[in-house]
């Protein structure tokens, strides 16, 4: 059976350390933005950690929520692309084909989660940071949209390894950079089509909710927290 | 006489693009396999280039009088790799990823995509690679046509 990749994020475990953000930048060749561009809202982060404050100081509580592309099954970004640069692949990934993208930014505009980013300029790295580029991931040129891929380069790698060894992909074998780097093990990645996978069990536990569920985009990222 | 010398010089200049003129044909005639030198074509994305240490397994003793082999030994003595100039390859701006391993496992011969390298005196790009050539075979062999298999 085809895979259907999904993620579960335990908000009761997340402590907002942003290791996932750093790991994502390193794995996916994300440029470091300068302050002037960041102030214009042009910084690119495929994953970010949102903060919510509850109560008044000193009785304050902070809640953290990592937000990445929700890989929606009914993705609002897809139908608005005039050139089919973003589409749904057979494994449920919402894919951005940079070669195809002409930069209309309609997709980013239609994304309720604000997880799509436009490259206003050619990406730049201050030396020697360009030496750490991951050769398995494209360097996106200026003028195209980009976003989290669920680390598709790792998915491809694991699938081909499994095929070479004539075995199915094991649960937990694919680890996107954010999942791998999370010290609290708050993030779990896996196949939602496998009812036994850890992510499937977490997604169907009573603690799971999805972001802005009422919009009907059917995200494949599940947020876990204790019932209110 | 002087003209012949000039023409000869031009011809060498055209071929001398590679740091050393490596003849595939003479080495294949020794009974070597492609994988002896491009040793990760069966398991990895890149086929891999042989290190100068591999050349020295033979050229420590064999054919040491040839000018080309002298150059190889010179690189080895200075502990340098030979800076081969790439013949095939997509530029990073093509935004495409190729992997050798699945093709090796699907029993696709090297010649399908690289021509008769075994008979070549110099490696030349004799086969064109573009999305059309990739996909026409993929379609025929029922391999993937999903954009993200090649573009990420």
């Amino acid at each position: 059976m085809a895979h259907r990749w999904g993620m579960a994020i335990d908000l009761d475990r997340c402590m907002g350390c942003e290791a996932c953000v750093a790991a994502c930048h390193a794995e996916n060749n994300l440029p470091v933005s300068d302050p002037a561009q960041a102030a214009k809202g042009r910084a690119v982060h495929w994953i970010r950690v949102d903060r919510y404050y509850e109560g008044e100081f000193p009785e304050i509580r902070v809640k953290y929520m990592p937000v990445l592309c929700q890989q929606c099954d009914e993705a609002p970004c897809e139908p608005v692309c005039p050139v089919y640069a973003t589409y749904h692949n057979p494994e449920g990934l919402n894919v951005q084909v940079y070669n195809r993208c002409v930069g209309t930014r309609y997709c980013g505009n239609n994304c309720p989660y604000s997880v799509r980013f436009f490259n206003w300029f050619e990406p730049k790295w201050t030396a020697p940071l360009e030496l750490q580029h991951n050769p398995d991931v494209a360097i996106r040129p200026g003028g195209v949209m980009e976003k989290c891929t669920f680390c598709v380069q790792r998915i491809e790698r694991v699938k081909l390894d499994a095929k070479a060894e004539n075995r199915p992909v094991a649960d937990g074998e694919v680890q996107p950079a954010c999942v791998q780097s999370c010290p609290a093990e708050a993030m779990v990645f896996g196949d939602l089509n496998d009812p036994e996978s850890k992510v499937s069990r977490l997604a169907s536990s009573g603690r799971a909710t999805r972001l802005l569920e009422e919009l009907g985009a059917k995200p494949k990222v599940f947020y876990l927290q204790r019932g209110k | 006489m002087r003209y012949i010398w000039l023409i000869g010089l031009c011809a060498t200049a055209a071929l001398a693009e590679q740091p050393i003129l490596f003849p595939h044909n003479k080495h294949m005639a020794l009974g070597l396999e492609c994988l002896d030198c491009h040793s990760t074509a069966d398991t990895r994305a890149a086929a891999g280039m042989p290190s100068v240490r591999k050349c020295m397994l033979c050229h420590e003793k064999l054919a040491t009088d040839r000018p080309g082999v002298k150059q190889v030994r010179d690189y080895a003595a200075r502990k340098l790799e030979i800076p081969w100039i790439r013949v095939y390859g997509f530029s990073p701006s093509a935004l495409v990823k190729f992997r050798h391993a699945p093709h090796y496992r699907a029993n696709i011969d090297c010649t399908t995509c690289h021509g008769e390298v075994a008979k070549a005196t110099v490696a030349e790009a004799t086969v064109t690679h573009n999305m059309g050539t990739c996909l026409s075979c993929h379609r025929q062999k029922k391999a993937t046509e999903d954009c993200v298999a090649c573009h990420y």
Side-chain angles (χ1 to χ4, degrees):
Chain A
M1 190 168 44
H3 303 286
R4 196 167 151 266
W5 303 111
M7 189 181 282
I9 303 176
D10 194 332
L11 298 181
D12 295 334
R13 280 173 179 254
C14 177
M15 49 182 172
C17 72
E18 299 200 328
C20 50
V21 179
C24 177
H25 268 249
E27 170 76 13
N28 292 303
N29 300 331
L30 287 166
V32 181
S33 163
D34 69 63
Q37 290 298 320
K40 290 184 177 158
R42 293 176 178 178
V44 177
H45 302 288
W46 287 6
I47 182 169
R48 64 172 188 266
V49 179
D50 283 352
R51 270 167 292 186
Y52 295 94
Y53 299 97
E54 282 174 3
E56 286 287 326
F57 184 80
E59 301 300 318
I60 198 163
R61 220 177 89 109
V62 194
K63 288 185 80 174
Y64 299 103
M65 176 183 270
V67 182
L68 64 167
C69 172
Q70 309 282 306
Q71 308 283 350
C72 310
D73 275 344
E74 301 288 341
C77 53
E78 287 169 11
V80 294
C81 177
V83 296
Y84 301 104
T86 182
Y87 74 102
H88 230 64
N89 96 333
E91 303 190 345
L93 296 178
N94 167 250
V95 177
Q96 181 74 16
V97 184
Y98 314 119
N99 306 56
R100 189 101 188 145
C101 179
V102 295
T104 65
R105 297 182 279 134
Y106 293 172
C107 56
N109 207 33
N110 221 32
C111 172
Y113 306 105
S114 300
V115 290
R116 286 181 154 265
F117 300 90
F118 184 65
N119 279 330
W120 290 89
F121 302 103
E122 290 295 323
K124 279 205 275 304
W125 286 266
T126 24
L129 288 181
E130 81 284 357
L131 297 177
Q132 66 154 23
H133 283 164
N134 181 354
D136 290 341
V137 177
I139 309 280
R140 285 81 56 191
V144 304
M145 293 296 297
E146 60 176 66
K147 59 156 204 98
C148 159
T149 63
F150 265 177
C151 284
V152 66
Q153 66 280 8
R154 295 184 177 207
I155 299 179
E156 287 293 315
R157 168 87 136 285
V158 167
K159 278 197 311 186
L160 289 174
D161 284 354
K163 204 164 190 173
E165 291 161 23
N166 228 332
R167 59 174 175 80
V169 172
D171 186 29
E173 196 177 353
V174 183
Q175 284 209 321
C178 53
V179 173
Q180 187 181 32
S181 64
C182 181
E185 294 178 20
M187 306 170 97
V188 173
F189 185 80
D191 187 351
L192 292 169
N193 269 351
D194 170 6
E196 293 303 309
S197 71
K198 201 170 170 196
V199 69
S200 287
R201 281 183 282 130
L202 290 172
S204 56
S205 76
R207 296 171 67 226
T209 50
R210 291 183 290 180
L211 222 48
L212 304 178
E213 196 145 12
E214 64 281 10
L215 297 180
K218 304 207 177 119
K220 281 196 289 297
V221 175
F222 296 84
Y223 289 94
L224 311 173
Q225 54 191 326
R226 97 188 68 118
K228 294 230 169 90
Chain B
M1 196 54 211
R2 192 176 287 160
Y3 286 115
I4 293 172
W5 178 79
L6 256 178
I7 292 166
L9 195 70
C10 294
T12 356
L15 282 177
E17 242 193 84
Q18 292 288 0
I20 298 175
L21 294 184
F22 171 82
H24 270 87
N25 59 350
K26 288 191 182 167
H27 288 88
M28 294 312 289
L30 301 171
L32 291 175
E33 307 266 341
C34 308
L35 283 181
D36 289 337
C37 290
H38 305 294
S39 52
T40 52
D42 56 342
T43 51
R44 299 251 198 100
M49 289 306 229
S51 78
V52 70
R53 292 218 313 275
K54 193 167 270 176
C55 314
M56 290 306 284
L57 291 178
C58 290
H59 287 301
E60 195 73 65
K61 298 247 158 54
L62 289 179
T64 50
D65 55 328
R66 313 288 163 84
V69 175
K70 285 206 175 100
Q71 279 175 281
V72 176
R73 294 165 59 85
D74 193 43
Y75 276 104
R78 287 185 291 151
K79 294 199 168 34
L80 292 176
E81 284 302 329
I82 306 168
W84 302 114
I85 297 175
R86 285 291 303 270
V87 178
Y88 286 99
F90 299 109
S91 76
S93 62
L95 303 167
V96 67
K97 301 277 177 262
F98 177 78
R99 289 173 186 268
H100 276 90
H103 298 95
Y104 181 85
R105 285 198 297 274
N107 287 321
I108 296 169
D109 211 74
C110 311
T111 51
T112 319
C113 300
H114 295 303
E116 292 288 349
V117 182
K119 300 205 179 78
T121 49
V122 191
E124 282 176 296
T126 50
V127 180
T128 328
H129 294 158
N130 56 36
M131 186 156 146
T133 61
C134 309
L135 277 182
S136 52
C137 177
H138 275 216
R139 214 157 268 174
Q140 200 191 327
K141 304 229 185 226
K142 303 220 169 2
T144 179
E145 291 179 40
D146 185 13
C147 316
V148 80
C150 305
H151 295 296
Y152 51 85

